[in-house]
Amino acid sequence: MQRIKKFAPYIVGAILTAFIAISLVVSRQESTTMDEQAHIPSGYSYVKYHDMRLNPEHPPLLKDLAGIPLQFLDVNFPTDDPQWTEGVNAQWYMGNTFLHTNDADAITFWSRFPIILVGALLGFFMFRWTREMAGTAAGLIALTLYAFNPNILGHSHYVTTDIGIAAFIFISFYYFVHFVKRPSWKNTLLAGIFLGIAQLTKFSAVMLFPMFGLIITIYAFAQKKPDNDPTPQWKYSLKKFFEYVLKYAVAVVICFILIWVLYVYNTISMPPEKLHDISNYVFSDKGAGKYAKAFVIYTSNIPVLKPLSEYFLGVFMVFIRVTGGNTFYFLGEVSNHASKAYFPVVYLIKETLPMLLLLLSGLLITIWQFAKHVAAAQGNILKKVWSVILNYLRTGVAQYSMIGFVLLYAYVSITGNLNIGFRHLFPILPFLYLLSAKKIFEFLRSLSTPTKKVAYAAFGVIMVWVILEPIIFFPSYMSYFNELVGGPKNGYQYVTDSNADWGQDLKRLRNWVAQYDSEHPDAPIDKIRVDYFGGSNPQYYFGDRYVSWHADLAPEAGWYAISAGFLQESTHKQKNPGDMSYDWILNYTPVTRVGDSIFVYYIPETPQL
C-alpha cells in the first residue's frame, strides 16, 4: 500500500492525461452535436458582448468557459442579423449562421477544450474524495471507473451541461459534507462558493437547496451530546440545528452573490427590452406564466436586479420545458409521454457490464454489512435496527448524503417528463463509482488471506474489463451500449436521441463520401439526400451535392444518408392512411453505416409505393 501511495500522483496524472487525450482525439473526429449548435454561439456572445439573449434556459458558466478560447480565433459574429437584433429564441438560427459562416470545425474543437478540463477536474475530485473515505487504492479505482467509462468519454468533450453539472454537483457535495462535519466559517465559505458554481452550471442544481437543508437537519438531530454536557439532549440538538441553519443561510447568501456577479458580467450590455421580448414569447398570460412574466419584466427594469431577472427567467423556462416533454423513440415506440421504464432500462443497457457487476456487488456488501451490524447490536430486533441506523446517521453523513441524492435524482428523473438520454443521469454516476469502490475495498480488506487472494484476482479481472471497454469500442463512445444488447451497432434499435444519434457523425459521412468518390472516379456521388439530426449543416460539408430530405417526401432514385433517430421515429410512429414515412427504405440494404448513427443507401430506381 505504501508503494501505491508513493506512485499515486503519477498514476492519477497518467489516467487524467489519457482521459484528456482520448477526449481530444474523439472531439477532432466528431461534428457539432445538436445542443452544441445553441450553446457554442451563446458562449461566444456572452464573453464577447456580455449579452445573454441566446439560450437563457441554461446558466452561463459552462458557456462562458467554452466561449473564452473562441475570443482568440478570427471569427465573425452576425450582430447585424435581424435574428440577433429582433429575434426571440433565435439560438438555433444564430448557431447555424455563426458556425457555418466561419470555420465550424475549428470553432467546435476549441470551444470543447474547457469542457474536457472540467471533466478532468471531476476525475481529480473522484480520486480525492474516495481516497479520503476509503484509501488511495480505492481512490484510484473510482477514478478508473470514471475515466474509462465510454459514456463519460462520449460526452466529456461536448459543449453541453451534462459533464459540467455532474462535476460541480459532486464537488459541491464534497465541500458541503466537509462543512457538515466541521462547520467552520472557512468551510461555510467554500460550501457557499461551490453551491453557487453548481447553480451557475445547470438549473437542476436547485434541488441541492432542499437536499442540503435536509442533510443538516438529520445530522444535527442525530448527534449525541457529550457525556459531560449537562444540557438536555433536545436542547443540545436544537442548538446544533440552529448553528447549522445560520451558517447554511450564510452559504446560500454567498451562493447568490456569486450568481449575481457572474450574471452581471453576462448581462451588463443586454437591453432590458430583450428580457421583455423573451418573457412575452415564453410565458402565457394565464396561471403561473402570468406571474413569472410580470416578475421578469418588473425586475429587468431595475439595473441592480436585472442579473437576477435573467437568472430566474432561466429557472422558469426550465419548469416549462420539463412539463412540456419531448418526442422520443424507445423500445419500438414513438411517444411524447414519458415512460417510467425509460431511465432504468437505458441505464441497464448503457452502463458498462463491469460497472453493473461492481454496483451489484457493492449493494450486496452493504446489505451484508447492515445485517452483520444488526446482529451484533443489543436489544430486540427493532432496537437493534434503530441503533444501527442512528449510529450510521451520526457517522456516515457522506455516504447517506450521496445515497439520498442518488435516490432523489433517480426518482425525479423516472417520474419526470423528459426522456432525452442517459446523459441526464450523469450527476449520479460519480457517487455510484465512489460508493462502489469504497464498499468493495472495505469488503476485500475484511477477508482472510486465502479468500482475499481469490477475491483480489476476480476484482482485478473486472478492472481489466473496465479498462478494455473504451479500447474495444473506440471511438463509439457517445453511441455506446453494453454487450447485453450487442454494443453500439445495435443500440439504436432500443433507444435513440443523445443515447445513439446526436449528430456526431456528419464529418465522418463527409470523409466516407470523399473516399467513395476516390474509389469510384467514374461514378462519384453527385447528389446525396441527407436527413440529418444534429448541430452541423450538411450543406457546409457537401455544398451543391447536398439535397435536404425528410421522411414526408416521395422517394426517388439516388443516394440517401439518414440519421438513425429519424429512421426509427419514422418507421415506428403511428401513421394515418396515406402518411409518408421511411417504411419503403427498409426493403433495401444500406451500402454502409457511417459511425453508428448515419445509414447510407443507394436506390437504383424510383421505388413503387
Side-chain angles (χ1 to χ4, degrees), residues 10 36 58 60 78 116 121 168 178 207 222 224 238 261 271 312 368 373 422 425 451 454 457 489 508 557 592 605:
Y10 304 102
E36 288 183 298
H58 294 292
I116 296 173
L121 179 67
F168 291 119
H178 279 67
M207 68 172 60
K224 184 180 179 181
L238 278 178
V261 168
F312 283 105
W368 173 75
H373 289 312
F422 180 59
L425 295 181
T451 309
V454 176
K489 292 300 180 185
R508 295 185 176 114
T592 190
E605 56 185 28

Side-chain angles (χ1 to χ4, degrees), residues 235-537:
K235 284 188 177 180
Y236 178 83
S237 296
L238 278 178
K239 179 182 176 182
K240 296 292 290 184
F241 172 70
F242 284 116
E243 177 187 354
Y244 276 114
V245 168
L246 171 63
K247 290 187 174 179
Y248 180 49
V250 172
V252 171
V253 170
I254 293 169
C255 161
F256 274 94
I257 290 173
L258 195 64
I259 290 171
W260 183 83
V261 168
L262 192 63
Y263 268 85
V264 166
Y265 171 82
N266 282 280
T267 62
I268 194 167
S269 299
M270 182 176 179
E273 293 75 20
K274 267 296 165 189
L275 282 162
H276 302 175
D277 293 342
I278 296 171
S279 298
N280 288 323
Y281 176 82
V282 171
F283 303 122
S284 69
D285 291 320
K286 299 179 181 179
K290 174 182 178 182
Y291 298 104
K293 181 193 295 188
F295 174 84
V296 171
I297 291 176
Y298 175 78
T299 53
S300 66
N301 291 323
I302 304 172
V304 73
L305 295 180
K306 188 177 74 171
L308 294 180
S309 177
E310 177 79 22
Y311 170 76
F312 283 105
L313 167 66
V315 173
F316 299 150
M317 289 179 72
V318 166
F319 281 107
I320 292 175
R321 176 78 174 92
V322 170
T323 57
N326 62 286
T327 299
F328 62 99
Y329 167 80
F330 176 57
L331 298 182
E333 296 184 357
V334 178
S335 176
N336 60 0
H337 299 292
S339 168
K340 288 182 172 57
Y342 182 89
F343 282 110
V345 171
V346 167
Y347 180 77
L348 289 175
I349 63 178
K350 289 281 286 180
E351 183 59 276
T352 67
L353 291 184
M355 183 58 217
L356 291 176
L357 287 174
L358 293 175
L359 186 63
L360 178 61
S361 300
L363 179 60
L364 294 175
I365 291 169
T366 300
I367 295 172
W368 173 75
Q369 288 178 334
F370 180 79
K372 185 178 178 181
H373 289 312
V374 169
Q378 301 296 320
N380 60 41
I381 186 64
L382 292 178
K383 287 184 177 180
K384 286 183 175 185
V385 170
W386 174 244
S387 173
V388 171
I389 292 174
L390 186 59
N391 183 65
Y392 183 63
L393 294 177
R394 289 171 177 166
T395 61
V397 61
Q399 294 96 308
Y400 67 72
S401 296
M402 296 181 202
I403 294 170
F405 176 74
V406 169
L407 294 176
L408 173 64
Y409 194 91
Y411 172 79
V412 171
S413 299
I414 291 170
T415 58
N417 201 35
L418 279 181
N419 288 169
I420 294 179
F422 180 59
R423 62 192 176 93
H424 278 202
L425 295 181
F426 279 10
I428 69 175
L429 298 188
F431 298 106
L432 295 178
Y433 301 155
L434 186 157
L435 291 169
S436 297
K438 179 180 182 298
K439 282 298 174 186
I440 288 168
F441 265 83
E442 287 177 351
F443 176 73
L444 291 174
R445 293 189 186 106
S446 71
L447 297 175
S448 60
T449 301
T451 309
K452 184 179 291 187
K453 290 181 179 179
V454 176
Y456 268 106
F459 179 66
V461 170
I462 293 176
M463 291 310 300
V464 170
W465 189 0
V466 168
I467 295 171
L468 286 176
E469 285 288 288
I471 298 173
I472 294 170
F473 292 104
F474 175 86
S476 299
Y477 296 152
M478 199 285 290
S479 55
Y480 173 84
F481 288 81
N482 64 40
E483 294 87 340
L484 282 176
V485 294
K489 292 300 180 185
N490 287 340
Y492 79 100
Q493 298 181 27
Y494 298 86
V495 64
T496 55
D497 207 289
S498 61
N499 299 295
D501 172 21
W502 218 17
Q504 72 274 15
D505 288 326
L506 192 64
K507 284 173 67 174
R508 295 185 176 114
L509 177 64
R510 175 201 61 188
N511 296 341
W512 180 85
V513 169
Q515 181 180 350
Y516 181 91
D517 287 349
S518 66
E519 294 173 353
H520 302 82
D522 297 330
I525 298 174
D526 59 339
K527 296 288 183 182
I528 184 165
R529 297 153 186 81
V530 181
D531 194 1
Y532 166 72
F533 177 75
S536 294
N537 188 333

